[in-house]
Amino acid sequence: MGASLPPKEANLFKLIVKSYETKQYKKGLKAADTILKKFPDHGETLSMKGLTLNCLDRKAEAYELVRLGLKNDLKSHVCWHVYGLLYRSDREYREAIKCYRNALRIDPDNIEILRDLSLLQAQMRDLTGFVETRQQLLTLKPNHRMNWIGFAVAHHLNLNASKAIDILEAYEGTLEDDYPPDNERIEHSEMLLYKISLLEECGYFQKAIEELNKKELKIVDKLSYKEQEVALLEKLNRPEDAEKLYRVLLFMNPDNYRYYEGLQRCLGLYTDDCKFSSNEIEKLLALYKSLAQEYTWSSAVKRIPLDFLHGEQFYKEADNYIRPLLTKVVEFSCLHEIVDLLAWTNDSVMQGVPSLFSDLSPLYEQPGKADILERLILDLEQSMRQTGGFPGRLDKEPPSTLMWTLFLLAQHYDRRGQYEVALEKIDEAISHTPTVIDLYSAKSRILKHAGDLTAAAALADEARCMDLADRYINSECVKRMLQADQVALAEKTAVLFTKDGDQHNNLHDMQCMYELASGESYFRQGDLGRALKKFLAVEKHYADITEDQFDFHSYCLRKMTLRTYVEMLKFQDRLHSHAYFHKAASGAIRCYIKLFDSPPKSGTEEDEEMAKLLPSQKKKMRQKQRKAEARAKKEAESKSEESNAGNASKSGKRHAKAVDPDPNGEKLLQVEEPLTEATKYLKLLQKNSFDSLETHLLSFEVYMRKQKILLALQALKHLLRLDAESPGTRRCLIRFFSKVSFMPPPATDAEILVSKVLEAERQNISQLQDGTLSDVNSLFLKKHEDSLMHRAAAAEMLYLLEPDKKSEALSLIEDSPNNIVSTNGALGGVKEWRLGDCIAVHKLLKEVFIDEEAASRWKVRCAEYFPYSTYFEGSRSSAVILTTPYNSTDNGVGSPEQVLQSTSSITVNGKLEKFKDLQI
């Protein structure tokens, strides 16, 4: 390194390296310039100067200098190493690996280059190369603990856990008997637990428990020790010993549900579906009664029996569980801020637990339990109204107990789809105690479920204004606004909790995934550019999360958090299977499909359309365009001012941030091949969400448009495998073979081969063995004649197969029965139709059948079923209450001031005048 330089310049070169490591970049540049004055072609100095400039965001100069340095000294491992570091900083990991390998050809025993190469191999999951590099590091430095551990972890990740065990045992053989010293006890303890987990993974259970007991004194984490021991005892089929240990763990933490499940397994009283015989239920009930006497303060020991009990036993235990949570004593001054310890005072307030319904909601999936819960809560409500106390008790309860009972009852009816009753209960609770924020949030959720998104946003904002310091309520308000397509207002509300200055960039950097709801809102409004921009921003978040693991490859080996490190790598491997990424990728694919179906008009086409308009229409169009341009310019200026204000640091210096060249996603709409872009995200979904019906529905849509018949058939087969009776699957089945039937006779060898494959596959699809496609569709309709969405799918396919039967197809939809769902609830059953399904059918009538009269009739009918729906303009929705017309803004709804001008107050569904107080 700098060997070809005279001693004085060689020392300056070492100063450059030291300055780079200590981030004193200006000092390093000065030293580099001094050397280059005398030796302008010195390759290593040129490379180091380029690396330093890269840290100062002068990337173009950096690459130019590094490449020039490499050209001048092609056999310098320093130049190749620096080139690799440059690529690594830009996340070009594969190119960086190539540079490191070239550097190692020149200096094969360079520790730093080997270490950097191993990190990149772990990042890119080049596990074979990772093993080789870690072995080379261990050979060069066998007295370094991190090299032993890294070599073992490399073999573990490469699916060779037994070899990893051998390496760890060899490492332990190098240690002295009194190892570890006090300052390394935690690291050594983690290594021992990691080794035992490897033994368990290999199936050496007896050896693992012997090793665990042998090293008990050296293991610091006693909780992990006991959990590991009890897991091994279970696998060794020693339930008696495991039962004793589970009881010890329960004494340490009686609210851990996993410990109760383990105890039940040891006693032979556990099933995944909570279905037990009457004898097993009696044993379980006796078990939990004894545990409840031992752990009187535990909520889990009272909650778990509700999962396996039924009938009157369930009623009794649910009553015992719910009553205390409606009158819980908490010492604090603000009812909502339960967790905020700083707000606690000496005033004792009787209040309920707002999360009680969330705790009970899984019970609604079990048949009959929702009806029992309804009967129980109604009994409590009636008793509170009549006597002021619970049934069977003479003591009076505090007045707030009735309010929390009404709150619970409102959430119950909301869950069951009885929105009118739910709103009555929540309004009564608000009248009882109008200062509880949770009530307004709950009412907002009920209105959202009922279909009144505008009023739901108003209620959420009212709740937000009651506690401006609560980030959660602010986030919930933003979510409601985005659902109501009030994007501009939502963004202004969201940035209230960001740092001063460049607030929108701060909001993006927080990775709160708000872009998902924002993108869906823009997609509903038809703004594909902004929708794509938001969906791709979520994809960028996941790329950043993947990138964030890089620093942990060295940190975890150094700190010996090996079990967590391996879990983190496994999590990263399945990162893109997360629901948020699935939604974002699906949204992006839908945008590209829509862009393919309706490409944006060119300037010439727009001019031609303008020429066809009347003069008055041209004038209105130009005015509209000028207003839109002025509004966009104003928004850009305000964001620029925010950015300039925030980019000034305390020292007065400004840190320039990259300006988004395409804030509205207009360039994203100019893509030449939308389906090619869609395929990129489709492949990610196929890899990470293979068992999702939506993945293969989107695959089918993309491949049908790309004329990839065999790939479309593959997607269809996956749909039939996942859910053959789904309306979407049946649409794809009939559409596919309808298209195949109209294909021209095969001419080439490839077409003949495809035709033979299609014919062979058709014979294997059982759904097509009942005759023609029309017959298949008729049988499908007969099988699902009571389902709205199945009838709609059958009607759509009837119209596709026989366009002259449009009226018959429309009748299939309009004659659909809205049956009552069977229930034993005190207020009777609810209708079967769901709001989202009815909206989808309305869009089908407008966009596929293109029948405005049928769509209008459907809208009137659904307005009766969903009186709070703004989409159908139900009689009790804010769309009807706000009778005064007003102009829509850029985000699809009127501004708060316009809403307030049209009505003084929304007394039925909330108070929209709260919007006028929002100031940024």
Side-chain angles (χ1 to χ4, degrees):
M1 188 168 63
S4 60
L5 293 171
K8 181 180 178 181
E9 282 72 21
N11 289 331
L12 280 174
F13 186 84
K14 292 178 182 177
L15 179 63
I16 298 172
V17 177
K18 185 177 180 182
S19 300
Y20 170 75
E21 292 172 348
T22 56
K23 299 184 180 180
Q24 296 177 332
Y25 303 125
K26 290 185 178 180
K27 189 176 180 181
L29 282 177
K30 186 177 179 181
D33 290 336
T34 304
I35 297 174
L36 292 173
K37 283 179 183 178
K38 292 185 178 181
F39 305 96
D41 295 328
H42 189 251
E44 294 182 358
T45 304
L46 286 168
S47 296
M48 283 304 302
K49 182 179 178 181
L51 187 61
T52 306
L53 287 174
N54 181 61
C55 298
L56 297 173
D57 291 330
R58 294 161 64 179
K59 287 190 177 294
E61 295 176 65
Y63 272 99
E64 185 179 350
L65 285 171
V66 171
R67 285 166 180 157
L68 180 60
L70 187 60
K71 180 181 178 182
N72 292 340
D73 195 352
L74 201 59
K75 293 186 178 181
S76 169
H77 72 275
V78 173
C79 293
W80 282 109
H81 190 189
V82 168
Y83 201 17
L85 292 173
L86 202 60
Y87 273 125
R88 193 184 79 176
S89 68
D90 288 338
R91 303 184 183 182
E92 297 284 347
Y93 295 137
R94 297 196 184 280
E95 295 299 321
I97 288 174
K98 292 178 185 177
C99 294
Y100 289 158
R101 291 195 181 280
N102 285 331
L104 288 171
R105 288 192 185 100
I106 300 165
D107 187 4
D109 295 335
N110 190 298
I111 297 291
E112 290 184 6
I113 300 175
L114 285 168
R115 190 182 301 119
D116 288 344
L117 176 61
S118 72
L119 298 180
L120 289 184
Q121 288 169 329
Q123 179 79 4
M124 300 302 294
R125 301 298 191 269
D126 177 13
L127 300 178
T128 304
F130 186 39
V131 169
E132 294 173 357
T133 305
R134 295 309 312 190
Q135 184 175 12
Q136 196 171 352
L137 280 167
L138 179 59
T139 304
L140 292 171
K141 268 198 169 184
N143 59 341
H144 200 298
R145 179 186 67 185
M146 187 173 169
N147 291 337
W148 284 94
I149 303 303
F151 190 34
V153 170
H155 275 290
H156 182 202
L157 295 176
N158 201 32
L159 305 179
N160 194 352
S162 59
K163 184 67 175 177
I165 295 169
D166 295 339
I167 295 166
L168 291 175
E169 288 179 346
Y171 166 67
E172 286 184 273
T174 66
L175 304 177
E176 298 178 0
D177 294 337
D178 59 347
Y179 190 87
D182 289 341
N183 63 339
E184 294 184 13
R185 288 188 66 209
I186 294 176
E187 289 83 354
H188 188 67
S189 169
E190 284 296 317
M191 188 273 290
L192 292 174
L193 287 170
Y194 175 63
K195 177 187 170 185
I196 292 162
S197 69
L198 289 175
L199 289 167
E200 181 184 13
E201 186 176 321
C202 292
Y204 306 144
F205 304 133
Q206 186 61 41
K207 185 178 179 181
I209 201 164
E210 290 173 359
E211 183 75 11
L212 188 69
N213 295 330
K214 180 181 176 182
K215 301 294 175 62
E216 180 179 2
L217 297 177
K218 293 187 177 183
I219 295 177
V220 178
D221 188 349
K222 298 303 179 185
L223 179 61
S224 295
Y225 175 88
K226 287 183 171 59
E227 290 179 338
Q228 184 71 69
E229 184 181 10
V230 77
L232 291 169
L233 288 172
E234 279 196 81
K235 290 178 179 178
L236 286 169
N237 197 22
R238 292 165 57 182
E240 296 83 3
D241 296 332
E243 178 193 346
K244 295 177 183 176
L245 197 48
Y246 270 124
R247 291 185 183 274
V248 173
L249 288 167
L250 280 173
F251 181 78
M252 297 170 67
N253 183 4
D255 281 314
N256 190 316
Y257 279 67
R258 291 188 296 110
Y259 298 161
Y260 289 103
E261 290 178 7
L263 181 60
Q264 286 182 219
R265 283 196 301 270
C266 294
L267 296 172
L269 298 171
Y270 179 79
T271 59
D272 292 329
D273 55 3
C274 288
K275 292 181 179 178
F276 301 96
S277 66
S278 56
N279 185 40
E280 289 173 331
I281 290 175
E282 289 180 7
K283 291 180 180 179
L284 280 170
L285 190 57
L287 170 68
Y288 279 97
K289 281 185 177 180
S290 65
L291 291 171
Q293 293 175 356
E294 189 174 355
Y295 308 116
T296 54
W297 64 93
S298 169
S299 63
V301 77
K302 301 181 183 72
R303 169 63 182 81
I304 292 174
L306 302 184
D307 291 327
F308 59 79
L309 291 175
H310 301 280
E312 290 305 313
Q313 280 187 319
F314 173 78
Y315 181 98
K316 180 181 177 183
E317 293 300 323
D319 189 20
N320 293 335
Y321 181 69
I322 291 174
R323 285 192 189 189
L325 299 180
L326 293 176
T327 56
K328 190 175 175 103
V329 179
V330 184
E331 294 186 358
F332 59 106
S333 59
C334 176
L335 282 177
H336 180 71
E337 304 219 353
I338 301 174
V339 195
D340 191 354
L341 299 178
L342 297 177
W344 283 32
T345 68
N346 293 325
D347 299 326
S348 179
V349 181
M350 300 294 289
Q351 75 115 35
V353 175
S355 60
L356 175 58
F357 181 77
S358 298
D359 188 17
L360 297 174
S361 60
L363 298 173
Y364 284 71
E365 303 297 332
Q366 300 183 31
K369 290 192 176 180
D371 298 329
I372 298 174
L373 285 173
E374 181 174 323
R375 180 161 58 91
L376 167 61
I377 304 169
L378 287 173
D379 289 346
L380 295 176
E381 180 200 18
Q382 182 180 4
S383 179
M384 285 297 304
R385 292 184 188 278
Q386 293 176 352
T387 66
F390 288 135
R393 291 185 58 181
L394 299 177
D395 297 337
K396 300 287 185 182
E397 300 296 335
S400 62
T401 305
L402 176 59
M403 181 268 293
W404 291 112
T405 305
L406 292 168
F407 177 61
L408 179 60
L409 202 53
Q411 293 175 93
H412 165 81
Y413 285 124
D414 177 38
R415 173 65 182 260
R416 307 205 78 180
Q418 297 170 289
Y419 304 120
E420 191 167 351
V421 185
L423 286 169
E424 289 177 5
K425 297 298 181 183
I426 201 66
D427 282 336
E428 186 179 353
I430 292 173
S431 300
H432 185 285
T433 313
T435 57
V436 179
I437 300 175
D438 296 287
L439 301 180
Y440 296 88
S441 297
K443 185 174 181 181
S444 172
R445 284 192 293 274
I446 295 169
L447 286 168
K448 183 202 68 164
H449 297 153
D452 198 338
L453 302 177
T454 305
L459 259 296
D461 189 68
E462 190 169 349
R464 182 191 67 81
C465 292
M466 295 173 72
D467 189 353
L468 296 174
D470 193 310
R471 184 191 292 264
Y472 171 78
I473 299 177
N474 181 275
S475 300
E476 192 172 34
C477 177
V478 170
K479 186 177 179 180
R480 296 285 175 265
M481 289 174 176
L482 291 173
Q483 289 166 346
D485 294 337
Q486 301 170 0
V487 182
L489 189 59
E491 289 184 352
K492 289 181 178 180
T493 307
V495 298
L496 291 173
F497 276 85
T498 59
K499 297 177 182 177
D500 293 336
D502 193 2
Q503 295 177 319
H504 290 276
N505 277 338
N506 289 333
L507 191 61
H508 176 80
D509 293 340
M510 290 164 66
Q511 296 183 342
C512 55
M513 306 292 175
Y514 89 98
E515 295 96 342
L516 194 56
S518 182
E520 289 171 348
S521 176
Y522 281 128
F523 184 79
R524 287 193 296 269
Q525 299 173 60
D527 192 341
L528 295 183
R530 289 182 176 178
L532 262 176
K533 187 84 176 175
K534 297 299 183 182
F535 288 136
L536 298 187
V538 177
E539 192 270 338
K540 174 68 165 53
H541 289 325
Y542 278 84
D544 291 339
I545 293 170
T546 301
E547 172 65 21
D548 289 342
Q549 69 177 301
F550 185 83
D551 293 333
F552 290 95
H553 296 310
S554 59
Y555 174 84
C556 292
L557 294 180
R558 189 171 66 253
K559 293 294 185 181
M560 300 290 283
T561 55
L562 306 176
R563 293 174 299 154
T564 308
Y565 173 60
V566 173
E567 288 177 8
M568 184 269 292
L569 293 180
K570 291 178 180 177
F571 164 77
Q572 289 283 353
D573 290 340
R574 61 177 185 274
L575 178 66
H576 289 86
S577 63
H578 193 274
Y580 283 168
F581 179 81
H582 180 91
K583 290 179 181 178
S586 300
I589 293 169
R590 289 198 305 271
C591 287
Y592 284 122
I593 290 174
K594 200 167 186 179
L595 196 58
F596 175 82
D597 293 341
S598 305
K601 296 176 182 176
S602 63
T604 307
E605 291 175 338
E606 289 180 354
D607 292 340
E608 290 176 358
E609 287 191 0
M610 184 72 79
K612 296 177 184 177
L613 298 176
L614 297 173
S616 60
Q617 293 175 324
K618 289 181 184 178
K619 185 177 180 181
K620 287 182 181 179
M621 183 70 72
R622 291 193 183 99
Q623 286 177 348
K624 198 172 183 181
Q625 289 175 349
R626 282 195 293 269
K627 285 181 180 179
E629 289 172 2
R631 185 166 55 245
K633 184 178 179 182
K634 187 177 180 181
E635 287 180 3
E637 288 175 354
S638 64
K639 289 183 180 180
S640 177
E641 289 174 4
E642 290 175 1
S643 178
N644 291 335
N647 286 340
S649 62
K650 292 181 180 179
S651 61
K653 296 181 181 179
R654 293 185 179 274
H655 305 284
K657 272 203 171 186
V659 178
D660 188 353
D662 186 26
N664 297 327
E666 293 173 358
K667 292 182 180 178
L668 294 173
L669 297 180
Q670 297 171 7
V671 61
E672 293 182 2
E673 297 182 357
L675 295 182
T676 302
E677 295 297 319
T679 305
K680 295 178 183 177
Y681 299 98
L682 190 60
K683 288 180 179 177
L684 286 171
L685 290 183
Q686 290 171 338
K687 179 181 178 181
N688 298 285
S689 301
F690 188 72
D691 289 331
S692 168
L693 201 68
E694 186 179 19
T695 295
H696 301 295
L697 286 171
L698 291 171
S699 301
F700 181 83
E701 296 294 339
V702 170
Y703 292 137
M704 286 290 281
R705 285 165 173 79
K706 293 181 75 174
Q707 304 298 321
K708 302 286 187 181
I709 297 298
L710 292 183
L711 289 175
L713 175 62
Q714 184 185 58
L716 176 60
K717 290 183 69 176
H718 288 309
L719 289 170
L720 292 169
R721 172 181 60 85
L722 291 170
D723 188 356
E725 298 301 319
S726 164
T729 301
R730 192 51 60 106
R731 280 191 183 96
C732 294
L733 178 68
I734 294 178
R735 278 177 55 198
F736 180 80
F737 284 101
S738 174
K739 180 180 178 65
V740 168
S741 65
F742 288 103
M743 289 173 61
T748 65
D749 292 341
E751 290 176 352
I752 293 172
L753 183 61
V754 169
S755 178
K756 289 181 179 179
V757 171
L758 293 175
E759 188 62 32
E761 288 295 335
R762 178 167 185 152
Q763 302 300 323
N764 296 329
I765 298 176
S766 60
Q767 289 81 3
L768 296 177
Q769 306 305 315
D770 299 317
T772 65
L773 292 178
S774 296
D775 295 336
V776 171
N777 195 44
S778 299
L779 288 172
F780 176 73
L781 174 63
K782 186 176 181 181
K783 189 174 182 180
H784 303 282
E785 60 184 356
D786 291 333
S787 168
L788 172 63
M789 296 308 292
H790 287 80
R791 289 178 70 100
E796 183 182 353
M797 292 302 100
L798 175 62
Y799 182 50
L800 172 71
L801 296 171
E802 302 176 71
D804 56 325
K805 292 187 177 181
K806 179 179 177 180
S807 58
E808 183 181 340
L810 290 173
S811 298
L812 286 178
I813 295 176
E814 295 185 282
D815 295 341
S816 300
N818 190 4
N819 300 321
I820 294 177
V821 179
S822 59
T823 176
N824 298 323
L827 296 179
V830 295
K831 296 290 186 180
E832 186 179 21
W833 289 1
R834 293 291 174 259
L835 177 60
D837 294 341
C838 292
I839 291 173
V841 171
H842 184 260
K843 291 179 179 178
L844 177 71
L845 294 171
K846 287 186 67 175
E847 298 170 7
V848 177
F849 288 93
I850 315 177
D851 193 316
E852 290 294 335
E853 291 184 5
S856 179
R857 291 194 301 270
W858 183 260
K859 185 175 182 179
V860 171
R861 183 181 180 186
C862 290
E864 297 178 4
Y865 294 137
F866 306 101
Y868 292 94
S869 169
T870 51
Y871 183 90
F872 292 117
E873 298 180 1
S875 59
R876 303 196 66 180
S877 70
S878 57
V880 173
I881 295 170
L882 299 177
T883 54
T884 306
Y886 54 87
N887 295 325
S888 62
T889 61
D890 61 333
N891 62 357
V893 298
S895 66
E897 290 77 16
Q898 291 171 323
V899 174
L900 292 168
Q901 288 171 5
S902 61
T903 181
S904 60
S905 171
I906 303 300
T907 55
V908 177
N909 296 341
K911 297 180 180 179
L912 289 177
E913 67 265 25
K914 288 292 179 182
F915 279 151
K916 67 184 179 182
D917 298 328
L918 182 63
Q919 296 180 354
I920 308 302

